[in-house]
Amino acid sequence: MHSVVCIKQVPDSAQIRVHPVTNTIMRQGVPAIINPYDLFALEEALRLKDRFGGKVTVITMGPPQAEVALRKALSFGADDAILVTDKSFAGADTLATSYALAATIRQIAKESPVDMVFTGKQTIDGDTAQVGPGIAKRMDLQLLTYVSRIVSVDQDKREIVVERRAEGGVQVLKTSLPCLITMLEGSNQMRFGTMPDMFRAARYEMKFWDKTAAGIEDVTKIGLKGSPTVVNKVFTPSPRSEKAEMIAVEGGSPADVAVALLAKMAARFPLVEKELAKRA
Amino acid sequence: MSEETQVKKKRKIVLDERLLAYKGVWVFIEHERGQVHPVSWELLGEGRKLADMLGVELAGVVLAAPGEEAKRFCEEAYQYGADLCYLMQSEVLADYRNDPFTQGLTELVNAYQPEILLLGATTQGRDLAGSVATTLQTGLTADCTGLTIDPDNRSLLSTRPTFGGSLLCTIVTLNYRPQMATVRPRVMAMPEKVPGRVGRIVEHPLAMAEDDIVTKVLEFIADDSRDKPQLPFADIIVAGGRGLGKPENFQLVRDLAEALGAEVGASRPVVQAGWVELDRQVGQSGKTVRPKLYIAAGISGAIQHRVGMEGADCIIAINNDPNAPIFDFAHYGIVGDAMTILPALTEAFRQKLATLKQAG
Ligand SMILES: Cc1cc2nc3c(=O)[nH]c(=O)nc-3n(C[C@H](O)[C@H](O)[C@H](O)COP(=O)(O)OP(=O)(O)OC[C@H]3O[C@@H](n4cnc5c(N)ncnc54)[C@H](O)[C@@H]3O)c2cc1C
C-alpha cells in the first residue's frame, strides 16, 4: 500500500495577532506548522501502512522553508518526502496548485505505483477545500471528501469502504483504488514520533523537485499564469454607517443600563420584540 | 464594504470570443434525502440581484432521480426567483456522488454556457465545485461573503476574508468562464418566497449508466439532529469570548441564553481552549449565523468572527474596552465588565418576558 499525503506549511493561526491600529496581520515570530487538518490525513495513511505494509510519501508545494514541515512528517513515521519548489509556482491559485501536485504524484507513481492519495479537508490559511478535489479530477482518481472513517480495505479486490460526512448524515461509500481521500478533522489522533523516526527525519536527505523534476509539461498551467482567479483588491472591513449606540446611565447600576437597553431596543427593533414575545 | 485600499491597478479583463457567449446566472440546487438545502434558496436570492444587474436570466440547476420530487424542487426554485430550471434526471443521480454529478453539471455548463455558477459551501457543494471547476478549467472562489458585478466589464466580484488575515479581498476570474463561487449557508439572506411565480424547465439527459460509476453508496446514516445545536438557524444567540476570563464565567453566558431560550455561541479562542463545544464556534472557520438578536460578551469583533455574525438584525456588544472593534458594527454597545452586565441583562430579560407574558 503506497500512500501519498499532500501537506501544506501554514502560519499557526492560533498565534497570529492582528495589529490593533493598522489592522494588518502580524506574522513575525508566528511559528510555521503543518496545516492541522493534514495531520489527520497523515495519521490515516500511517495506519494503512501499519496494517498493510507499504510506504507513505509526503509531498508539499511551497517555499524552501517548508522543508521543516516535511521533516516533521517524517518524524511521525512517513518514509519519503518531496518538496516541490520552484519560483514559477508563485501566485498559484487552487487550480494551478492542483496541476502541480497532480504532476508530482504521477511522477512519484512512475517509481512506485500509488494506491491512495490523502489530503486534509482544507487548510487553515486558505480555507478553500479545493485542492483535493482538483488533484483527484486531474488524475482521474475516485474522490472521497470529508471522510470520517475508513471502514475496510480489501487489498486483493482493491476496494475500500469509507464513511463520508454529508449534509444531514453519513454516507457509506465503496470504491476502487486508487482513490483520493480528504480526511475530516477529529477522525483520528496523530501518534507520537518514535526515537528512531526522529533521528531518521533529522538525517533524511530531502528531495527538492523543481518543475522539471515534478514532470510539469505545460508551464502555462502553473503559478500566476495558470491561475484563473486573481486578487483584485484588499481592503479593511468598513464600520456600519452608524456606530453602535452606546448605552450608559449616569451614575446608574448595571441593572439600570440593562433596563435602558431593553427599552431602546423595543422601540427600534420590533422584529426582536416579536421574537421575545414568542418566548414569553 | 468600502474604504478600499487598492493594492494594484484594476486588471483589464478581456474575454476570448468564445467566452462572450457565456450568459446567465446559475445556482446549483443542492438536495439530500428529498430536502433542498436552504443555502440554495439563499443563493437564488443573491443570484437574482446579480442576474438583474447583468440583465440576464437566473436559472436553478437540479440534478436528481427521475420523479415528481425533482419537478417540485424546480417549482420551488421559481418561487425563490429562478426564471428557469435546467433539469437533469437519471437513476444514477439518486444519491449525491461526485462522478455523476460532476459529469452532469459539466455537461450542462458546456451545453448552455452560464457566465456565473454559484454553489453552497457545504460538504456537497464544495466537493462538487472543486471538481467541476477543475474539469472545466475555470476559476472558483470559496466561501464568499459578498458578490456583486463590476459595471465596467460584467465581471463577478467575489469578496472573502483574505487568507488568514484581518482584511477582506475581492477576487476576480480572468479570461475563463463560468465564474464560479461558493457561499456558506446563512451568509446571504433568505429571499421572500413568491407563491404562484412560475418558470420553465429545460430538460437535458445524462449520458451515464450505473456501470460507468465506480463509487457506490452502500448506506446513508441520518444524523440524530435532536442533540445538535442548530446555531445557523437560531433566532437568538448569546455568545461569549476570551474577555470572560475563565471557563467558569462562561456560565453567565449560558444563564442569559437559558433565560431567553437562546442558543449559546462562542469565539474561536474559547472553543479552542475547550470551554465550549466545537460546533458552537461562530465565524469564518465556524458557523455563520443570522439571528434576530446576537448578544456578544467579551468578544473583540475580529473580522473572522464578524463575517460569521454580522448578518444578525440586532447586535448587542458588551466589552470593557470602549475602542473594541465590535462597537464599529454592533447596534448597541455597553462598556463595562461582562461579569456584572451579563447577570443584569439576564434579570432584565426575565422581567421583560414576564411582562410580555402578562400582556399576552
Ligand atoms: C484563519 C483564521 C480563522 C479564524 N476563524 C475564527 C472564527 O471562526 N471565529 C472566531 O471567533 N475567531 C476566529 N479567528 C480568530 C480571530 O482572529 C480572533 O482572534 C478571535 O475572534 C478573538 O476572539 P475573542 O474576541 O474572544 O478574543 P480577544 O480578541 O482576545 O478579545 C477579548 C475581548 O474581551 C474584552 N474583555 C476583556 N475583559 C473583559 C471583561 N471583563 N468584560 C468585557 N469584555 C472584556 C477585551 O476588551 C477584548 O475586546 C480566526 C483567525 C484566523 C487567523
Side-chain angles (χ1 to χ4, degrees):
Chain A
M1 180 75 57
H2 181 196
S3 298
V4 172
V5 184
C6 306
I7 67 172
K8 184 181 181 190
Q9 190 181 47
V10 297
D12 185 353
S13 70
Q15 301 197 36
I16 287 183
R17 291 284 168 273
V18 173
H19 194 280
V21 179
T22 59
N23 209 24
T24 50
I25 192 161
M26 301 189 287
R27 276 186 196 256
Q28 284 94 334
V30 176
I33 55 170
I34 297 179
N35 172 41
Y37 292 121
D38 299 345
L39 294 177
F40 301 108
L42 177 56
E43 173 61 26
E44 209 58 35
L46 292 171
R47 286 185 186 185
L48 287 183
K49 184 178 93 167
D50 293 345
R51 272 169 65 195
F52 301 104
K55 68 172 186 169
V56 174
T57 305
V58 278
I59 62 171
T60 192
M61 178 181 116
Q65 308 85 285
E67 181 184 346
V68 182
L70 289 175
R71 284 201 195 278
K72 186 83 190 168
L74 289 166
S75 78
F76 287 129
D79 301 274
D80 269 316
I82 297 161
L83 175 53
V84 193
T85 187
D86 197 303
K87 285 215 171 61
S88 57
F89 292 149
D93 74 357
T94 55
L95 194 72
T97 302
S98 70
Y99 180 82
L101 288 173
T104 306
I105 298 167
R106 275 196 212 100
Q107 210 64 9
I108 293 170
K110 280 185 189 161
E111 262 176 45
S112 151
V114 173
D115 303 296
M116 305 266 269
V117 178
F118 283 94
T119 73
K121 140 183 132 161
Q122 62 195 59
T123 57
I124 59 165
D125 59 346
D127 259 341
T128 70
Q130 281 161 210
V131 173
I135 296 171
K137 287 293 134 181
R138 290 180 181 284
M139 300 187 67
D140 203 12
L141 301 173
Q142 289 303 306
L143 170 65
L144 303 166
T145 51
Y146 305 103
V147 169
S148 52
R149 191 164 82 94
I150 295 181
V151 180
S152 64
V153 181
D154 186 328
Q155 261 201 311
D156 299 329
K157 287 205 200 130
R158 301 201 36 89
E159 274 177 0
I160 182 168
V161 176
V162 303
E163 290 180 359
R164 166 179 189 271
R165 166 96 331 244
E167 298 299 317
V170 171
Q171 271 187 326
V172 184
L173 296 173
K174 181 166 100 177
T175 199
S176 301
L177 302 181
C179 67
L180 183 143
I181 287 182
T182 85
M183 255 350 254
L184 198 67
E185 71 276 17
S187 46
N188 58 42
Q189 198 157 25
M190 179 47 81
R191 62 196 58 197
F192 292 103
T194 62
M195 266 324 204
D197 277 335
M198 286 186 202
F199 285 127
R200 192 178 50 84
R203 285 196 309 265
Y204 182 83
E205 196 169 327
M206 189 59 61
K207 298 189 176 98
F208 294 90
W209 284 10
D210 63 6
K211 62 175 189 294
T212 314
I216 285 163
E217 285 150 13
D218 187 349
V219 289
T220 65
K221 291 220 161 78
I222 56 171
L224 204 55
K225 259 200 221 120
S227 302
T229 59
V230 289
V231 174
N232 217 26
K233 64 187 173 213
V234 177
F235 55 101
T236 49
S238 61
R240 250 185 233 284
S241 42
E242 37 189 327
K243 281 201 165 203
E245 181 178 348
M246 304 309 282
I247 312 288
V249 179
E250 189 90 26
S253 67
D256 298 332
V257 173
V259 171
L261 168 70
L262 264 51
K264 292 205 173 191
M265 194 166 58
R268 186 169 148 203
F269 290 96
L271 206 78
V272 174
E273 197 66 7
K274 236 166 82 189
E275 189 57 41
L276 291 173
K278 270 198 243 162
R279 287 154 202 257
Chain B
M1 303 268 157
S2 64
E3 284 192 345
E4 298 154 9
T5 28
Q6 211 92 10
V7 283
K8 30 179 115 93
K9 269 230 308 281
K10 197 158 111 185
R11 235 168 237 268
K12 200 154 182 251
I13 298 168
V14 183
L15 290 187
D16 290 351
E17 197 64 36
R18 67 186 176 87
L19 296 180
L20 290 172
Y22 283 71
K23 283 272 146 58
V25 178
W26 285 15
V27 171
F28 174 72
I29 307 295
E30 167 177 343
H31 59 95
E32 188 105 58
R33 313 279 112 185
Q35 290 269 313
V36 173
H37 197 295
V39 72
S40 305
W41 307 142
E42 293 161 14
L43 286 175
L44 280 178
E46 202 59 21
R48 184 72 261 164
K49 294 182 210 159
L50 299 176
D52 291 344
M53 283 186 240
L54 289 165
V56 296
E57 286 191 310
L58 172 67
V61 184
V62 177
L63 278 65
E68 280 313 300
E69 193 175 82
K71 299 254 159 65
R72 185 164 54 79
F73 296 160
C74 296
E75 273 150 29
E76 238 183 313
Y78 307 141
Q79 298 182 7
Y80 282 110
D83 299 309
L84 72 159
C85 279
Y86 292 96
L87 177 59
M88 185 174 256
Q89 299 192 71
S90 161
E91 291 299 345
V92 303
L93 299 168
D95 288 296
Y96 176 76
R97 280 179 294 175
N98 181 270
D99 265 358
F101 274 72
T102 301
Q103 180 163 337
L105 189 52
T106 307
E107 277 180 19
L108 284 172
V109 167
N110 287 331
Y112 301 100
Q113 308 195 321
E115 58 199 300
I116 293 174
L117 171 56
L118 307 176
L119 299 94
T122 57
T123 56
Q124 189 183 116
R126 286 173 158 222
D127 183 275
L128 183 59
S131 304
V132 169
T134 309
T135 310
L136 293 169
Q137 299 276 303
T138 191
L140 165 61
T141 307
D143 286 10
C144 301
T145 55
L147 297 171
T148 189
I149 301 293
D150 186 336
D152 295 343
N153 56 16
R154 293 175 68 91
S155 303
L156 178 69
L157 302 174
S158 310
T159 298
R160 59 162 295 161
T162 47
F163 295 166
S166 58
L167 301 166
L168 294 165
C169 63
T170 301
I171 294 178
V172 292
T173 298
L174 301 172
N175 187 21
Y176 301 82
R177 286 297 177 270
Q179 307 161 88
M180 292 179 60
T182 64
V183 178
R184 295 182 359 162
R186 305 300 278 161
V187 169
M188 303 301 178
M190 180 66 86
E192 285 294 337
K193 208 170 172 173
V194 181
R197 195 177 180 285
V198 292
R200 60 182 205 282
I201 284 189
V202 177
E203 293 216 47
H204 194 98
L206 173 64
M208 205 176 197
E210 188 56 46
D211 287 347
D212 305 331
I213 303 167
V214 178
T215 300
K216 309 288 177 194
V217 180
L218 301 183
E219 202 184 338
F220 187 93
I221 307 160
D223 286 336
D224 185 354
S225 56
R226 276 166 308 180
D227 43 51
K228 281 239 160 196
Q230 289 298 323
L231 212 51
F233 294 93
D235 285 313
I236 303 184
I237 293 171
V238 185
R242 184 147 55 189
L244 291 167
K246 48 180 188 224
E248 297 82 77
N249 291 342
F250 208 86
Q251 188 56 36
L252 300 175
V253 169
R254 293 199 183 88
D255 291 345
L256 177 53
E258 204 197 299
L260 283 169
E263 288 287 347
V264 169
S267 67
R268 189 166 80 164
V270 305
V271 168
Q272 286 185 331
W275 302 5
V276 191
E277 312 87 88
L278 205 69
D279 51 9
R280 296 206 176 269
Q281 181 182 320
V282 173
Q284 184 191 336
S285 47
K287 298 278 189 298
T288 305
V289 300
R290 294 186 82 84
K292 299 196 171 86
L293 178 61
Y294 190 91
I295 304 176
I299 294 178
S300 58
I303 183 67
Q304 293 87 2
H305 190 78
R306 175 175 173 174
V307 294
M309 45 66 84
E310 67 182 336
D313 291 303
C314 176
I315 299 166
I316 301 174
I318 306 163
N319 199 301
N320 64 359
D321 173 6
N323 297 317
I326 195 158
F327 292 133
D328 286 346
F329 59 93
H331 299 87
Y332 294 107
I334 299 176
V335 177
D337 184 359
M339 267 54 84
T340 60
I341 306 287
L342 278 172
L345 267 182
T346 305
E347 186 49 35
F349 272 116
R350 274 215 181 96
Q351 285 188 2
K352 165 115 195 170
L353 291 183
T355 324
L356 284 170
K357 188 172 183 178
Q358 269 176 3

